[in-house]
Amino acid sequence: MHGGFKKPDPDELLELIKRAMRLHQTDDEIRERIAKAGLARDHFMQRMIDGLIAKARNETRIPDPSNAAAVAASQPIKFMDMRDWDDEPPPRREWAVLNRIPQRQVTLFSGDGGTGKTILLLQLLCSTVLARDWIGSVPEPGPVIYLGAEDEEDELHRRLDAIAEYYDEPFSELINNGFYASSYAGEDMTLARFDRNGNIEPTLRYDRLLEQACDIRPAIVAVDTLSDVFGGNENDRVQVSAFTGLMRKLAMQANCAVIINSHPSQAGSNSGTGLSGSTAWHGKVRGRMYLRAATQDEGGAIDRDLRVLEFKKNQYGPLGDSMLLRYKNGVFIPEPRGGSLDPQIAEQRAELVFLTLLSRFTREGRNVSDKKGTTYAPASFAGEQEAKAFKLSKDMLADAMKRLFASGKIQVVTEGPPSKLRSRLVAV
């Protein structure tokens, strides 16, 4: 393709482009030569040339040499050699957290803002390097990498300090066992973008992460959050698939689990799916977790520290499982369904439920008493949904009433004329 053309005939130009492709020229090289020939004079011509190049690639089936993924896809399909499989046992499945988070795969961890997903993720990373319990499971021990874009270093210090105190370990133990954390708050942490043809382009940040992960060989690489690292359209299935494939490459080459924190859309929160954008996010990852606030039936209306961790997808383990968690002193701990194992917390909850129901009954004009009878407060409250959510019996609420009397938070008031006095419980 050289010299000038008398006029930019599309059919003639298409054949010249195909000829250049057969000579293994890249798309950019073809555009450059067309520009030198004086044919890319305006925006309209440039768009036409881009369309002709795409058409020529499709018709010749010759990949752009500069597009590694396209070149790889054009190679003959590699089939597995299964001749020895009758004599070899299948390899053991590898987990970062047994039956929860698979190794060499990508897991998406979504949660509404403020629910504490970063804390729970950091807690997992600390338990991994310390070989300690994480909400009832013990992760496969090893180094970890945390790449964060939301919180500054001071905030990460505060959060990790609470977690280290929970495990009763100094920061030196986290460091010595391979806890690698970084904060890119306020900086560009994009790991991949897409060119004008929709092809994925890993950034230099991704290249460095891949190199360092292959050197460190972590058990987990955690990325926080998706919106800070994905430079594409979350509703584009092709781009979503390409990005999850790129993160899967990281997981496979570094032999680790990759966990990506994400925020659900408003629709994802309302529907309970915990997703945002294309359903390909759910389809392409092998594991997916969703942290949300507990509902009223789960005790959330009374106890704001309760969360529910749902395992929305587990390609290789139990499906549809969930855990009730309590946020306490900067960490999450498992909470038994229907009540806490911590007696102090259980007593505080019973008192809170009692006061909440007393306030509601008072607003509704339904007076209750501390005396046994038809208006006996513990008996009346035990049948309400707030009490049933925590399996609070009449006797448990009666004990709560005694403690509230002792602490001066409730009292009995007597009203009416002397001939018709009535007593009722009120909050102080």
Side-chain angles (χ1 to χ4, degrees):
M1 189 182 303
H2 55 81
F5 295 98
K6 292 181 180 179
K7 61 177 182 178
D9 180 73
D11 292 334
E12 180 182 357
L13 191 53
L14 178 63
E15 291 306 314
L16 290 171
I17 290 172
K18 290 180 179 180
R19 187 183 308 165
M21 289 179 178
R22 295 186 184 99
L23 295 174
H24 309 294
Q25 292 184 10
T26 67
D27 291 356
D28 287 340
E29 289 172 339
I30 294 171
R31 289 189 185 94
E32 183 178 352
R33 300 195 70 177
I34 291 174
K36 287 181 179 179
L39 296 177
R41 294 186 299 272
D42 53 36
H43 182 66
F44 173 79
M45 286 298 300
Q46 291 171 3
R47 289 183 59 186
M48 184 189 77
I49 291 167
D50 287 342
L52 289 173
I53 290 175
K55 183 178 181 180
R57 288 287 178 203
N58 184 58
E59 291 182 359
T60 62
R61 313 304 290 172
I62 300 173
D64 181 353
S66 66
N67 186 335
V71 172
S74 69
Q75 302 304 307
I77 295 174
K78 296 181 293 184
F79 297 108
M80 298 181 295
D81 184 357
M82 300 184 291
R83 289 172 293 183
D84 296 329
W85 284 16
D86 283 328
D87 303 317
E88 296 178 356
R92 181 179 65 88
R93 190 180 305 286
E94 295 179 307
W95 297 91
V97 179
L98 183 63
N99 290 332
R100 299 295 190 197
I101 302 173
Q103 200 81 336
R104 297 171 62 83
Q105 299 286 350
V106 180
T107 294
L108 192 64
F109 182 20
S110 60
D112 299 324
T115 53
K117 62 183 177 297
T118 296
I119 293 173
L120 189 57
L121 178 60
L122 290 172
Q123 195 174 330
L124 168 61
L125 300 182
C126 288
S127 67
T128 298
V129 298
L130 296 172
R132 301 285 288 275
D133 172 87
W134 179 67
I135 58 170
S137 299
V138 179
E140 189 70 23
V144 298
I145 293 175
Y146 172 79
L147 195 65
E150 289 206 316
D151 296 313
E152 296 181 74
E153 187 172 320
D154 287 350
E155 180 59 31
L156 291 175
H157 186 175
R158 286 187 285 268
R159 293 184 174 192
L160 287 170
D161 183 70
I163 298 170
E165 183 177 349
Y166 171 74
Y167 287 120
D168 194 23
E169 296 284 2
F171 275 100
S172 58
E173 277 299 298
L174 294 177
I175 297 168
N176 293 337
N177 286 287
F179 194 109
Y180 297 88
S182 60
S183 170
Y184 284 92
E187 301 181 46
D188 184 5
M189 205 178 79
T190 307
L191 298 181
R193 297 185 176 90
F194 294 83
D195 65 18
R196 57 187 170 187
N197 295 319
N199 299 314
I200 192 167
E201 294 182 334
T203 63
L204 292 175
R205 184 85 69 201
Y206 174 84
D207 292 343
R208 299 294 85 78
L209 174 61
L210 179 61
E211 290 172 5
Q212 290 178 269
C214 288
D215 289 339
I216 295 170
R217 310 299 287 180
I220 297 173
V221 170
V223 179
D224 190 12
T225 63
L226 178 63
S227 59
D228 293 295
V229 298
F230 175 59
N233 180 354
E234 67 175 10
N235 295 300
D236 189 317
R237 295 179 63 86
V238 175
Q239 292 188 6
V240 170
S241 298
F243 180 75
T244 53
L246 187 69
M247 301 309 289
R248 175 78 194 286
K249 174 184 176 181
L250 169 63
M252 293 173 65
Q253 292 196 8
N255 194 37
C256 66
V258 172
I259 303 175
I260 306 175
N261 267 9
S262 70
H263 297 288
S265 65
Q266 189 63 51
S269 296
N270 293 340
S271 66
T273 64
L275 284 173
S276 178
S278 170
T279 55
W281 290 114
H282 178 84
K284 287 299 180 179
V285 298
R286 300 295 88 181
R288 193 165 72 81
M289 303 181 292
Y290 177 41
L291 183 67
R292 59 171 176 80
T295 64
Q296 179 175 337
D297 290 345
E298 295 162 331
I302 298 296
D303 196 333
R304 300 294 183 180
D305 290 330
L306 290 180
R307 307 285 190 275
V308 176
L309 178 62
E310 296 182 343
F311 297 92
K312 290 289 191 180
K313 181 177 181 179
N314 190 343
Q315 194 76 17
Y316 313 114
L319 184 63
D321 196 8
S322 67
M323 295 183 66
L324 188 65
L325 303 175
R326 169 175 295 283
Y327 177 73
K328 181 181 180 183
N329 298 329
V331 297
F332 286 99
I333 55 177
E335 178 83 355
R337 295 280 181 175
S340 173
L341 292 176
D342 187 327
Q344 184 178 5
I345 292 176
E347 289 181 357
Q348 291 174 348
R349 178 189 289 156
E351 293 169 14
L352 181 58
V353 169
F354 191 99
L355 289 172
T356 300
L357 288 170
L358 178 59
S359 177
R360 178 159 70 80
F361 271 50
T362 299
R363 289 196 309 272
E364 295 170 351
R366 300 161 65 188
N367 294 335
V368 290
S369 169
D370 63 324
K371 306 298 183 185
K372 291 186 177 180
T374 56
T375 61
Y376 183 48
S380 299
F381 293 166
E384 298 298 314
Q385 183 58 45
E386 291 92 332
K388 290 180 178 179
F390 295 111
K391 298 182 179 179
L392 294 175
S393 66
K394 178 182 70 174
D395 291 340
M396 295 168 71
L397 290 167
D399 290 339
M401 181 174 67
K402 293 176 183 177
R403 293 192 298 271
L404 290 169
F405 270 124
S407 62
K409 293 181 179 179
I410 60 174
Q411 65 181 19
V412 176
V413 296
T414 304
E415 303 169 323
S419 60
K420 206 171 185 180
L421 292 176
R422 293 181 180 274
S423 298
R424 64 184 178 93
L425 272 180
V426 296
V428 177

